[in-house]
């Protein structure tokens, strides 16, 4: 009796207010509660709880925890249903369809107001903290954000160790309870190792429950705020947001009105649905560039792989190859970015109708770029004496080939900002429409991280200034994108994950790598993965090296379709393409901008099959990839136009192909295909297939 009385009393004291909201199709239910003045939420998907009661909390430097002792002052909801057209994209039209719920809370003593906005989509939910303009909160500093994601079990997870300076790792696959950064090989790449905790991972974090629900924790529209990592409480399968601080221990300087990025939870019981969701893009603001005519897809080649395989160098003296940076050894070779070599690549690009040529190592500074942590390594304007910039630029123009500028900052963002206008003006003078930026090394200003607020603002600053100059940006070693290319479509691609380059000078990317990236890194935006390496084994260049690409040649072709990007490199050497000219034809043909994309088969870590229709025209391209296991894929073609017959060119692994023992064994055949057709594709271990479909004139 006494016990019962006590419980009733506690319930009366603990006023619990709760409200439920549903996704447009009713599959997702979100419950928001206010318990003892604190905000909690939980989520179910098709009647199953997927996020348990999880708390939302923000701590500021002066005001302390601003999300306790709250009262809810209003709650409103509305339906958003709109169509929009990305400038470049996987579809020509995207539907933004969700229920938006806005809840206003006020802290009793301080009077501080915070709004939490939730959005419920058919394949996930999102929410963000908003701090309206108010006298009680003006300039304020975020000391901590404690957003919880409490899961219901020990799910399978694909994780990267939290590292505030790099995402260039391969994924670990295991249970939540297996997460432990002490158990992974941190020397397997160039990762900078600003690892905040043994038990923390990066977002996006892809998971799968034992009953087949795909669940992904990520964020969208990261602007003026640091990147979200997640610390894990393994005993409770719970994650909490973990943000990098600046040197003063502050996570973000904000001024009201302000808002945080959206925290997102994607949910699906079919992995393909998760890839088709567009939630991250929909949470970003519409395009802010008025005239976008100059923003075009870019297919390019470059003076690049030859440095990575050690045939030439970025520096003038020819003594620092990629091996010397990444493997600490000096190889005497030759400078890559010479006038003569640039003209050779321009000729190659013209002959094979590529849009552009990237040239790295053209400017002075590379003697010092790595490991010295120098403030002002590069000026971004002075070519080496053997690089005749005016001559190369006019040669490129005469051939109708564009040049891609390279701005490696070696982590010195402040130096880059100082030189930015001079650097962009030089590009304008010589008609470079695109820049590849890079942030290898520790960040200057010192004490900042690649993923901190200062650097997030820097990357945006560069993209916005580039838009003024009508320049498209491809950034490497920047923080991973979160859909900002909707707002700034000149942010054409980024690296921000472990690219193909790792296969050239390290133990490389395991065969499953490219089957995981679409479920993680690519959710936020296009990646400059640099596919198309045909010469798979690096001992061709240096017999002492056992490095190799961990795919078959056919899979390298498939990556042009499975890894969406409007910027794609044909990364290998011209001579390798001349040698495999028949396979090279696929890279020449493949489109980069799409009317529609259909994810036909997908399982993170295992396989992916995608069909895409070019934006202007009637051709389709299909890419199919597998992990280290061979696989048979049954392809149907119901998506094709029923009136048409297509000539399909099928680039596939030969029966004896294997990524390790026989990676270059491929076959090419042509057959006719209609909507009624079906096709069995055999993918080798680490293999893939690429298909181009062209309507016959009938
Ligand atoms: C790392 C980049 O990812 C790579 O593409 C580039 O060649 C080197 N840095 C040098 O800037
Ligand atoms: Ca890189």
């Amino acid at each position: 009796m006494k016990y019962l009385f006590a419980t009733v009393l506690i319930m009366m004291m603990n006023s619990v207010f709760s409200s439920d909201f549903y996704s447009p199709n009713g599959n997702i239910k979100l419950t928001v509660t206010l318990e003892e003045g604190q905000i909690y939420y939980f989520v179910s998907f098709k009647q199953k709880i997927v996020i348990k009661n999880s708390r939302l909390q923000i701590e500021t430097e002066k005001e302390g925890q601003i999300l306790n002792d709250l009262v809810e002052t209003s709650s409103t909801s509305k339906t958003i249903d709109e169509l929009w057209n990305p400038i470049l994209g996987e579809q020509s039209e995207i539907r933004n369809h969700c229920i938006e719920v806005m809840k206003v809370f006020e802290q009793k003593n301080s009077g501080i107001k915070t709004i939490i906005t939730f959005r419920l989509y058919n394949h996930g939910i999102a929410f963000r903290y908003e701090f309206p303009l108010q006298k009680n909160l003006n300039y304020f500093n975020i000391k901590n954000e404690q957003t919880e994601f409490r899961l219901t079990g020990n799910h399978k997870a694909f994780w990267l160790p939290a590292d505030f300076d790099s995402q260039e790792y391969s994924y670990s696959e295991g249970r939540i309870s297996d997460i432990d950064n002490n158990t992974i090989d941190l020397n397997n790449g160039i990762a900078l190792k600003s690892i905040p905790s043994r038990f923390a991972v990066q977002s996006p974090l892809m998971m799968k429950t034992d009953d087949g629900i795909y669940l992904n924790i990520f964020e969208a529209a990261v602007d003026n705020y640091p990147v979200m990592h997640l610390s894990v409480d393994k005993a409770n399968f719970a994650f909490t947001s973990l943000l990098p601080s600046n040197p003063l221990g502050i996570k973000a300087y904000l001024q009201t009105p302000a808002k945080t990025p959206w925290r997102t939870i994607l949910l699906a019981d079919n992995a393909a649905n998760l890839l088709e969701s567009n939630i991250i893009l929909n949470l970003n603001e519409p395009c802010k560039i008025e005239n976008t005519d100059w923003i075009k897809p870019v297919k390019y080649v470059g003076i690049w792989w030859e440095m990575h395989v050690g045939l030439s160098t970025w520096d003038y003296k020819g003594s620092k190859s990629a091996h010397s940076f990444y493997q600490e050894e000096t190889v005497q070779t030759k400078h890559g970015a010479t006038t003569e070599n640039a003209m050779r690549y321009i000729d190659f690009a013209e002959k094979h109708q590529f849009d552009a040529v990237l040239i790295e190592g053209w400017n002075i500074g590379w003697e010092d770029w790595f490991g010295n942590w120098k403030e002002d390594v590069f000026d971004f304007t002075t070519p080496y004496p053997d690089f005749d910039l005016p001559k190369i630029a006019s040669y490129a123009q005469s051939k109708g080939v564009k040049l891609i500028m390279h701005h490696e900052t070696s982590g010195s963002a402040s130096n880059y900002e100082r030189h930015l206008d001079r650097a962009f003006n030089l590009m304008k003078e010589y008609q470079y429409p695109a820049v590849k930026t890079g942030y290898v090394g520790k960040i200057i200003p010192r004490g900042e991280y690649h993923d901190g607020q200062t650097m997030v603002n820097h990357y945006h600053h560069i993209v916005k200034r580039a838009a003024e100059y009508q320049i498209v940006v491809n950034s490497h070693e920047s923080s991973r994108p979160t859909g900002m290319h909707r707002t700034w479509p000149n942010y054409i691609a980024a690296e921000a994950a472990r690219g193909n380059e790792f296969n050239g000078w390290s133990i490389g990317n395991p065969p499953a790598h490219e089957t995981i990236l679409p479920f993680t890194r690519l959710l936020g935006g296009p990646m400059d993965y640099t596919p198309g390496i045909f010469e798979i084994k690096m001992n061709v260049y240096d017999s002492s090296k056992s490095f190799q690409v961990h795919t078959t040649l056919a899979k390298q072709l498939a990556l042009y379709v499975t890894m969406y990007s409007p910027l794609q490199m044909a990364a290998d050497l011209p001579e390798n393409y001349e040698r495999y000219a028949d396979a090279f034809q696929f890279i020449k043909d493949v489109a980069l901008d799409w009317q529609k994309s259909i994810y036909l088969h997908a399982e993170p870590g295992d396989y992916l099959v995608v069909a895409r229709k070019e934006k202007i025209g009637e051709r389709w391209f299909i890419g199919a990839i597998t992990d280290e296991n061979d696989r048979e894929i049954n392809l149907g073609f119901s998506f094709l136009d029923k009136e048409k017959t297509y000539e399909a060119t099928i680039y596939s692994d030969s029966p004896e192909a294997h990524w390790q023992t026989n990676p270059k064994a491929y076959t090419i055949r042509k057959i006719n295909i209609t909507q009624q057709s079906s096709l069995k594709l055999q993918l080798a271990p680490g293999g893939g297939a690429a298909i181009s479909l062209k309507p016959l004139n009938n």
Side-chain angles (χ1 to χ4, degrees):
M1 251 324 262
K2 225 169 157 188
Y3 175 75
L4 189 72
F5 179 72
T7 330
V8 171
L9 192 72
I10 288 169
M11 277 174 65
M12 278 161 59
M13 278 163 38
N14 298 356
S15 37
V16 178
F17 300 97
S18 110
S19 33
D20 295 340
F21 305 95
Y22 293 87
S23 60
N25 65 0
N27 282 349
I28 297 179
K29 180 175 130 189
L30 165 77
T31 305
V32 184
T33 64
L34 195 61
E35 295 177 35
E36 296 188 317
Q38 302 213 61
I39 312 165
Y40 293 80
Y41 74 101
F42 63 91
V43 181
S44 51
F45 177 67
K46 297 195 176 170
Q47 333 285 346
K48 282 187 199 132
I49 302 240
V50 285
I51 301 282
K52 296 199 292 191
N53 216 22
S54 302
R55 195 178 68 147
L56 304 182
Q57 186 58 271
I58 295 276
E59 190 190 334
T60 72
E61 190 184 29
K62 275 209 242 96
E63 296 79 6
Q65 293 200 334
I66 58 171
L67 295 187
N68 55 24
D69 212 13
L70 299 175
V71 285
E72 185 179 306
T73 58
S74 80
S75 177
T76 49
S77 79
K78 65 172 186 200
T79 301
I80 297 174
D81 194 358
E82 62 197 11
L83 294 171
W84 60 279
N85 307 97
I87 308 304
L88 304 171
E90 292 190 81
Q91 289 92 16
S92 55
E93 188 174 76
I94 292 176
R95 184 175 181 195
N96 179 20
H97 186 203
C98 66
I99 309 296
E100 185 180 273
V101 179
M102 261 184 130
K103 286 182 167 286
V104 183
F105 299 96
E106 194 174 310
Q107 194 170 35
K108 280 185 209 145
N109 287 333
S110 71
I112 293 174
K113 280 196 176 61
T114 306
I115 302 170
I116 317 272
T117 304
F118 296 90
R119 283 196 186 173
L120 290 104
Y121 289 87
N122 287 340
H123 289 113
I125 68 142
F127 57 87
R128 73 173 359 163
Y129 305 87
E130 298 183 28
F131 312 100
L133 183 65
Q134 54 192 295
K135 67 173 189 313
N136 300 319
L137 197 66
N138 186 359
Y139 296 97
F140 68 111
N141 301 334
I142 302 277
K143 193 88 183 125
N144 217 346
E145 176 192 325
Q146 289 149 320
T147 300
E148 291 180 345
F149 306 88
R150 306 183 81 83
L151 303 177
T152 53
N154 195 10
H155 308 328
K156 181 175 163 185
F158 299 87
W159 52 279
L160 302 178
D163 181 337
F164 294 160
D165 274 318
S166 180
Q167 325 81 356
E168 299 190 6
Y169 292 92
S170 49
Y171 290 90
S172 297
E173 200 178 320
R175 296 279 167 173
I176 293 171
S177 60
D178 298 330
I179 294 172
D180 182 347
N181 294 334
N182 281 5
T183 63
I184 59 173
D185 175 12
L186 298 176
N187 288 317
N188 65 4
I190 197 178
L192 280 166
K193 295 176 208 149
S194 297
I195 295 180
S197 152
R198 188 172 159 186
F199 303 116
V201 298
Q202 309 212 8
S203 72
L205 174 64
M206 184 66 212
M207 287 168 285
K208 186 180 181 185
T209 68
D210 284 341
D211 47 8
I213 297 173
Y214 299 87
L215 208 145
N216 183 295
I217 300 176
F218 191 25
E219 58 179 342
V222 177
D223 189 16
N224 195 28
Y225 205 80
V227 165
M228 182 176 75
H229 295 252
L230 299 162
S231 62
V232 58
D233 166 0
K234 300 205 286 181
N236 294 302
F237 316 128
F239 293 89
T240 305
S241 56
L242 174 68
L243 311 175
S245 307
N246 72 10
L248 298 179
I250 301 301
K251 313 249 146 108
Y253 297 121
L254 298 178
Q255 182 185 351
T256 54
K259 43 195 173 204
T260 70
W262 294 95
R263 277 68 190 89
T264 62
I265 302 161
L266 305 186
L267 291 162
D269 48 13
N270 172 341
N273 289 342
L274 202 133
L275 299 178
E276 281 165 354
S277 77
N278 285 313
I279 291 177
I280 304 299
L281 272 177
N282 279 328
L283 291 165
N284 276 269
E285 283 174 30
C287 178
K288 290 204 168 140
I289 302 174
E290 227 164 87
N291 164 19
T292 54
D293 297 350
W294 51 278
I295 302 172
K296 302 241 161 55
V298 183
K299 202 185 280 180
Y300 73 104
V301 292
I303 303 184
W304 182 76
W305 190 238
E306 56 179 72
M307 280 86 98
H308 285 268
V309 300
L311 292 180
S312 71
T313 64
W314 286 273
D315 77 292
Y316 185 53
K317 286 179 298 201
S319 56
K320 286 189 164 185
S321 75
H323 295 169
S324 62
F325 302 126
Y326 304 120
Q327 306 288 318
E328 287 173 6
E329 75 186 34
T330 302
V331 188
Q332 188 60 44
T333 162
K334 58 180 197 302
H335 183 213
T338 63
T339 305
E340 194 197 354
N341 204 21
M343 289 167 73
R344 183 170 72 96
Y345 274 84
I346 291 166
D347 288 342
F348 181 79
E350 185 209 15
K351 178 171 166 198
H352 298 287
Q353 294 181 347
F354 279 78
D355 301 303
V357 176
L358 163 75
I359 306 168
E360 296 197 359
W362 68 277
N363 57 327
I364 58 167
W366 289 88
E367 287 69 20
D368 265 341
W369 82 287
F370 193 77
N372 293 342
W373 213 12
K374 252 178 84 174
E375 176 80 33
D376 54 352
V377 176
F378 295 106
D379 69 7
F380 312 97
T381 48
T382 314
Y384 279 125
D386 56 351
F387 188 81
D388 187 338
L389 178 55
K391 183 173 171 184
I392 293 161
S394 67
Y395 189 68
Q397 281 154 33
S398 74
K399 301 273 173 173
V401 173
K402 304 275 192 303
L403 294 173
I404 301 179
M405 177 50 79
H406 186 224
H407 290 162
E408 173 57 63
T409 67
S410 67
S412 187
S414 43
N415 184 51
Y416 189 33
E417 288 178 17
R418 280 195 291 273
H419 288 280
L420 195 65
D421 281 304
R422 281 183 292 272
F424 281 172
N425 279 321
L426 185 87
M427 289 178 61
K428 285 282 113 174
E429 189 179 341
Y430 293 104
Q431 298 185 28
Y432 284 68
V435 64
K436 171 178 170 181
T437 58
Y439 298 88
V440 171
K442 286 274 180 195
I443 293 298
I444 298 177
R446 289 174 172 77
E448 296 289 351
Y449 295 112
H450 286 73
D451 280 355
Q453 182 192 28
T454 302
M455 285 306 291
V456 164
N457 290 351
H458 167 86
Y459 311 130
H460 289 194
H461 171 73
I462 300 301
V463 167
K464 290 177 197 171
R465 294 303 310 279
E468 291 169 24
Y469 286 84
Q470 303 202 333
I471 289 170
V472 303
V473 179
N474 164 26
S475 62
H476 278 225
E477 295 85 43
S478 47
S479 58
R480 79 282 181 283
T482 55
M484 197 185 69
H485 58 295
R486 175 179 180 188
T487 316
W488 298 97
N490 66 316
Y491 194 8
I492 193 163
E495 183 190 40
R498 217 166 134 125
N500 219 6
E501 64 186 34
F502 273 76
N503 288 314
W505 36 256
S506 78
I507 59 164
N509 307 339
H513 192 59
E514 297 94 350
T515 68
I516 303 170
L517 284 170
F519 292 93
T520 51
R521 161 67 184 78
L522 298 186
L523 292 171
M527 177 173 179
D528 184 29
Y529 188 71
T530 67
I533 301 299
F534 284 4
E535 196 54 82
I536 302 283
K537 302 221 176 198
M538 300 311 131
N539 60 10
V540 171
Y541 307 107
D542 178 342
S543 57
S544 71
K545 297 283 185 266
S546 58
F547 307 134
Q548 77 158 101
V549 174
H550 297 73
T551 75
T552 62
L553 189 151
K555 181 171 169 181
Q556 287 291 307
L557 296 179
L559 296 178
Y560 288 91
V561 188
T562 59
M563 300 199 126
Y564 163 70
S565 177
L567 174 97
Q568 290 279 16
M569 183 177 203
D572 211 335
L573 309 175
E575 47 272 38
N576 293 336
Y577 290 134
E578 308 277 13
R579 243 168 339 114
Y580 301 100
D582 55 352
F584 186 45
Q585 189 60 43
F586 182 81
I587 304 180
K588 290 166 65 172
D589 290 341
V590 70
L592 303 181
D593 195 20
W594 309 100
Q595 197 182 112
K596 40 182 137 161
S597 294
I598 303 172
Y599 288 85
L600 297 166
H601 306 276
E603 183 62 30
D606 293 341
Y607 56 86
L608 184 66
V609 185
V610 191
R612 304 189 195 269
K613 185 184 187 194
E614 63 185 336
K615 191 181 258 173
I616 299 162
E618 290 298 323
R619 293 178 307 162
W620 284 81
F621 295 87
I622 298 172
I625 60 169
T626 178
D627 60 359
E628 68 283 359
N629 301 307
D630 63 333
R631 224 170 277 278
E632 184 180 272
I633 306 279
N634 292 309
L635 257 190
F637 293 90
S638 57
F639 47 87
L640 292 177
D641 187 331
K642 69 171 185 303
E643 309 292 315
K644 293 189 168 73
T645 300
Y646 296 78
E647 181 191 67
T649 310
I650 304 162
Y651 304 77
S652 54
D653 296 319
S654 298
E656 68 281 12
H658 185 290
W659 69 271
Q660 196 166 24
T661 54
N662 199 358
K664 293 196 287 186
Y666 63 90
T667 61
I668 301 175
R669 62 197 162 109
K670 283 191 197 297
I671 56 170
N672 285 355
I673 291 278
T674 67
Q675 202 195 46
Q676 272 22 280
S677 305
S678 66
L679 185 67
K680 273 193 180 17
L681 286 175
Q682 303 291 342
L683 310 184
I691 305 176
S692 63
L693 294 148
K694 196 172 72 193
L696 292 168
N697 298 325
N698 53 355

